[in-house]
Amino acid sequence: MSKFKKKTKADTNIPTSALPDIIFMLLFFFMVTTVLREQTILVEQKIPQATQLQKIQKKTLISYLYIGKPKNTSLYGSEPRLQANDVLINTSDLVLWVNQQKDNLSEAERDQIWISLKADRDVKMGPISDIQFELREADARKLMYASVNKVEN
Amino acid sequence: MASKRGRMAQEVNAGSMADIAFLLLIFFLVTTTIASDKGIMNILPPKQDPNQPPPEVELNERNIFNILINANDDLLIEGEFRNDLNGLSDEIKRFILNFGNPDEDAIALFNSLPPSLKGLADQSPESSDHPMSGGAVISIKTNRGTSYETYLEVLDLVKKAYFEIYGERVGLTGEEYRTLSGQTPAEKELMDRGKENIPMAISIAEPDKTGS
């Protein structure tokens, strides 16, 4: 009998001395993967869904364009607007913007620039095709329609 | 006396270390947005020279798979009104792989296809001539009032048809082919072999201005 009693008396404490290390490991993971957003998005962004998504391996080559209805409709109206960096721009300024983005890249990568078009799903094709026309003018012909993976229902 | 004091302050109290780390962890958890750089890739055509008229490309009507989307998001596919997109991807696959009027190179291409794709390859004279360059083109024409979502949905299905063909040629599923990164020589070789002689011919026409 005494043998059983001994067993129940066994130490039930979980050693917690390694807990800070585990937490630190998680912390470092999130610190490394975090991309702090340096831009405030001024337009609505409901990214459309699609299935045939591909990934660009080199993220430095990507420049982002946002298009959608402005969030602040009293200031910017309700028509879809284009946002580049931190400001709303007109489609006619797009060539200039593309050239600025190209200047940020190194000489060899300049013609490999990808434009990621983050368009709201309620935008019509009119503004989109205007953007495509300007991008052709600016010779930035690699375009990616940003979309999220479709959830099969 | 001095030696005693020194021994006492030897250890730092590390009990609250976990709490501090937790606090930081929660901060980063909340602020993290795992950036998703995924999307449908598209290469735009080169810009037009205003002094030069666009080159006239002679293409037979049967070599073009017409997809029209109007301002109400109604679809007209090969002259036929559609309500939904069911089965469109398979139709496009059949259209691309049709060998209606093959030349010698196209016959060589046909013989190199795996049996599963040969089964899909008809020889209907009304459909496209061959899958090679200048043989089969998918044309998507929208209106300025077409919604971006519908356009992307159609483009998605066209891409799907191509990726499935490419994948099948190298013994992968369309999904596996699509996620190849091309970073290792082996993957690059697979990618090149998949799309060899079957270029992705998707033509996106300038949208109509009427009814927007």
Side-chain angles (χ1 to χ4, degrees), chain A residues 16-139:
Chain A
T16 53
S17 56
L19 194 61
D21 299 349
I22 297 164
I23 303 300
F24 263 117
M25 223 151 73
L26 276 171
L27 176 63
F28 286 141
F29 169 74
F30 278 100
M31 276 173 76
V32 169
T33 54
T34 295
V35 188
L36 288 175
R37 204 194 280 289
E38 68 267 36
Q39 298 174 0
T40 43
I41 310 252
L42 302 170
V43 293
E44 276 181 22
Q45 291 273 285
K46 291 194 297 290
I47 300 292
Q49 295 183 336
T51 57
Q52 308 300 308
L53 306 179
Q54 280 178 296
K55 220 174 176 177
I56 294 172
Q57 298 301 328
K58 239 181 148 182
K59 286 196 175 172
T60 48
L61 294 176
I62 312 174
S63 299
Y64 298 94
L65 270 181
Y66 306 90
I67 176 163
K69 205 175 99 176
K71 281 177 184 162
N72 188 347
T73 42
S74 56
L75 200 59
Y76 302 114
S78 60
E79 282 297 301
R81 291 290 302 269
L82 184 63
Q83 184 191 347
N85 299 341
D86 240 346
V87 282
L88 295 176
I89 60 168
N90 287 320
T91 320
S92 51
D93 302 328
L94 208 53
V95 177
L96 194 68
W97 176 79
V98 170
N99 285 328
Q100 282 169 358
Q101 295 295 315
K102 279 187 178 177
D103 284 343
N104 291 341
L105 295 173
S106 70
E107 197 104 21
E109 289 172 333
R110 224 158 264 184
D111 52 344
Q112 297 172 31
I113 189 170
W114 276 93
I115 308 291
S116 176
L117 187 67
K118 297 205 168 198
D120 190 271
R121 66 177 68 161
D122 294 329
V123 175
K124 301 288 181 200
M125 278 310 284
I128 304 274
S129 74
D130 292 342
I131 291 169
Q132 288 183 0
F133 182 79
E134 290 295 328
L135 287 177
R136 283 170 63 185
E137 288 290 310
D139 203 28

Side-chain angles (χ1 to χ4, degrees), chain B residues 38-59:
Chain B
K38 286 183 175 176
I40 298 180
M41 292 182 178
N42 183 21
I43 309 287
L44 299 172
K47 77 169 167 187
Q48 270 177 27
D49 194 342
N51 302 321
Q52 258 177 339
E56 288 289 325
V57 184
E58 284 291 324
L59 267 183

Side-chain angles (χ1 to χ4, degrees), chain B residues 136-211:
Chain B
V137 177
I138 316 289
S139 160
I140 304 175
K141 195 174 169 77
T142 58
N143 187 288
R144 286 188 73 86
T146 306
S147 78
Y148 175 65
E149 204 178 3
T150 313
Y151 162 75
L152 212 59
E153 226 172 299
V154 172
L155 189 62
D156 196 41
L157 287 174
V158 178
K159 285 257 173 183
K160 187 177 171 207
Y162 272 107
F163 284 134
E164 277 175 7
I165 291 172
Y166 291 167
E168 227 158 305
R169 283 183 84 190
V170 290
L172 299 172
T173 64
E175 179 113 17
E176 284 164 344
Y177 183 86
R178 177 160 53 84
T179 44
L180 290 179
S181 65
Q183 283 189 322
T184 60
E187 282 193 357
K188 209 164 175 64
E189 195 263 327
L190 273 184
M191 282 172 85
D192 289 343
R193 204 148 52 86
K195 56 188 173 191
E196 194 184 16
N197 284 331
I198 307 185
M200 204 177 263
I202 306 172
S203 149
I204 293 160
E206 291 278 306
D208 274 335
K209 290 206 167 54
T210 50

Side-chain angles (χ1 to χ4, degrees), chain B:
Chain B
M1 272 306 274
S3 65
K4 211 179 184 182
R5 211 197 285 159
R7 233 185 277 156
M8 266 173 74
Q10 230 16 288
E11 204 158 298
V12 182
N13 184 11
S16 54
M17 190 80 103
D19 300 350
I20 297 164
F22 255 124
L23 221 73
L24 279 168
L25 176 64
I26 289 163
F27 167 74
F28 279 102
L29 265 172
V30 170
T31 54
T32 295
T33 44
I34 292 175
S36 64
D37 288 314
K38 286 183 175 176
I40 298 180
M41 292 182 178
N42 183 21
I43 309 287
L44 299 172
K47 77 169 167 187
Q48 270 177 27
D49 194 342
N51 302 321
Q52 258 177 339
E56 288 289 325
V57 184
E58 284 291 324
L59 267 183
N60 284 321
E61 180 54 39
R62 63 169 186 275
N63 283 338
I64 305 172
F65 191 92
N66 274 307
I67 304 174
L68 290 166
I69 318 171
N70 75 0
N72 296 328
D73 292 348
D74 295 326
L75 291 148
L76 195 72
I77 295 165
E78 289 283 74
E80 196 186 317
F81 178 76
R82 287 285 182 88
N83 277 322
D84 52 19
L85 294 163
N86 291 340
L88 179 62
S89 193
D90 289 328
E91 264 173 72
I92 293 170
K93 249 169 107 172
R94 280 190 169 275
F95 170 81
I96 298 164
L97 286 172
N98 190 62
F99 287 85
N101 184 14
D103 52 21
E104 273 173 40
D105 291 342
I107 290 170
L109 171 67
F110 177 77
N111 290 328
S112 73
L113 290 178
S116 55
L117 287 180
K118 270 185 190 164
L120 275 175
D122 296 328
Q123 300 191 336
S124 149
E126 282 104 60
S127 190
S128 71
D129 286 349
H130 52 76
M132 292 163 74
S133 171
V137 177
I138 316 289
S139 160
I140 304 175
K141 195 174 169 77
T142 58
N143 187 288
R144 286 188 73 86
T146 306
S147 78
Y148 175 65
E149 204 178 3
T150 313
Y151 162 75
L152 212 59
E153 226 172 299
V154 172
L155 189 62
D156 196 41
L157 287 174
V158 178
K159 285 257 173 183
K160 187 177 171 207
Y162 272 107
F163 284 134
E164 277 175 7
I165 291 172
Y166 291 167
E168 227 158 305
R169 283 183 84 190
V170 290
L172 299 172
T173 64
E175 179 113 17
E176 284 164 344
Y177 183 86
R178 177 160 53 84
T179 44
L180 290 179
S181 65
Q183 283 189 322
T184 60
E187 282 193 357
K188 209 164 175 64
E189 195 263 327
L190 273 184
M191 282 172 85
D192 289 343
R193 204 148 52 86
K195 56 188 173 191
E196 194 184 16
N197 284 331
I198 307 185
M200 204 177 263
I202 306 172
S203 149
I204 293 160
E206 291 278 306
D208 274 335
K209 290 206 167 54
T210 50
S212 57

